[in-house]
Amino acid sequence: MDIFSYSFMQNAFIAGTLVALLSGVIGVFVVARGLSFITQTFSEIGFAGAAFSIFMGWGPMAGLFLFTTGSALAVSQLGLKTFQREVAIGVVFSFFMGLGLFFLSISARQANSAMSLLFGSILGISDGQVWILSGLSIGILMVLLAGYRWLLIDTFDPVGAEARGLPVRLISVVFLIVLSAAVAGTLQIVGSLLVFALMITPAATARYLTNKVSLMIACSAGLAVAGVWLALFLSYATNWPVTFLITSVETLFYFAARLWRK
């Protein structure tokens, strides 16, 4: 039977494509700005927020956005350089993971929810979630497009950005908020433990393929989408977990690009 004859596969392809495009584009700036670890931290905080929502009987997205956006604002107040150097972030990372597991442990739906939040549930995406992810992805991409020039200069020429009088602090704060929202969307696809699979790996791969930023963004987005599509087809054929296949395909792309560069 045709893979697209199933509604859940249609939703998986639509949601996966949207999130992959978003992750591929924003991931280039995440890697260039050295925010990979903060991205992972946002995912763990988002996991705690989603678990809190499940405990309260809300939709997971409410807690995801509440916790990730709140953490983005907190990081912006603390300062990125301080945050990146601060050893205590490891403690914060562990605390929110434990907090998420605590909320799930006292919820009647903890078993399925834990697997979904930790490892993603792309095959369980509903029609409503597809619409939410569509709006989220389009909104974030429009924000990135509107501020592309400023973000580009601030990311790849921070000294020049200050010399030109660009509002570098505002750029940083807005980007952190946008990143936290993107992580909230990505978490539903690959889970909090594997956000790197779509947010970081394709962008890191693209850096081995080109030095031009526009091509790097295109390559990163293309690799992310290709990884999701290939993983969905392989999962349909083998019945293997989609998230495992996404991470495996993206990792293969990464090492292939490194070998090609050498």
Side-chain angles (χ1 to χ4, degrees):
M1 186 176 290
D2 183 10
I3 186 175
F4 295 108
S5 63
Y6 299 101
S7 60
F8 72 91
M9 291 302 298
Q10 295 172 9
N11 288 340
F13 271 95
I14 295 172
T17 300
L18 290 169
V19 171
L21 283 172
L22 174 61
S23 300
V25 172
I26 201 171
V28 171
F29 295 100
V30 170
V31 172
R33 294 170 79 91
L35 300 179
S36 300
F37 187 44
I38 292 178
T39 301
Q40 184 65 28
T41 304
F42 281 167
S43 72
E44 306 307 332
I45 293 174
F47 164 72
F52 176 72
S53 287
I54 291 172
F55 169 69
M56 295 296 293
W58 306 341
M61 288 299 291
L64 276 172
F65 280 110
L66 178 64
F67 276 52
T68 55
T69 304
S71 63
L73 292 173
V75 171
S76 67
Q77 293 301 312
L78 179 62
L80 280 178
K81 292 184 178 179
T82 301
F83 186 86
Q84 289 169 323
R85 291 196 307 263
E86 184 57 59
V87 177
I89 188 55
V91 178
V92 175
F93 178 98
S94 302
F95 169 74
F96 276 99
M97 176 59 77
L99 186 64
L101 292 174
F102 168 73
F103 284 130
L104 289 177
S105 69
I106 57 179
S107 171
R109 295 174 290 175
Q110 74 269 21
N112 292 333
S113 300
M115 293 296 292
S116 173
L117 294 173
L118 288 174
F119 301 106
S121 58
I122 187 171
L123 295 180
I125 297 292
S126 65
D127 293 343
Q129 287 175 311
V130 169
W131 283 108
I132 292 174
L133 287 174
S134 298
L136 174 67
S137 301
I138 293 172
I140 292 176
L141 289 173
M142 289 180 65
V143 171
L144 291 175
L145 181 62
Y148 176 75
R149 185 170 178 80
W150 281 10
L151 180 61
L152 185 69
I153 297 172
D154 185 56
T155 300
F156 294 95
D157 186 17
V159 176
E162 292 187 4
R164 296 187 186 196
L166 297 183
V168 293
R169 180 169 177 79
L170 176 63
I171 294 171
S172 179
V173 171
V174 172
F175 182 74
L176 279 175
I177 294 174
V178 168
L179 174 60
S180 68
V183 168
T186 307
L187 191 147
Q188 291 189 86
I189 302 299
V190 293
S192 64
L193 295 179
L194 301 170
V195 167
F196 269 61
L198 284 181
M199 192 73 72
I200 306 300
T201 309
T205 304
R207 288 171 68 108
Y208 286 106
L209 301 176
T210 179
N211 293 321
K212 189 174 181 180
V213 178
S214 58
L215 288 178
M216 196 180 298
I217 292 173
C219 286
S220 178
L223 289 167
V225 172
V228 170
W229 285 13
L230 186 55
L232 286 170
F233 279 114
L234 288 173
S235 178
Y236 180 77
T238 64
N239 203 31
W240 291 358
V242 180
T243 303
F244 160 72
L245 291 169
I246 291 176
T247 56
S248 299
V249 171
E250 297 295 353
T251 301
L252 286 174
F253 286 164
Y254 174 77
F255 284 109
R258 291 194 60 167
L259 289 173
W260 181 85
R261 185 64 175 264
K262 287 183 179 181

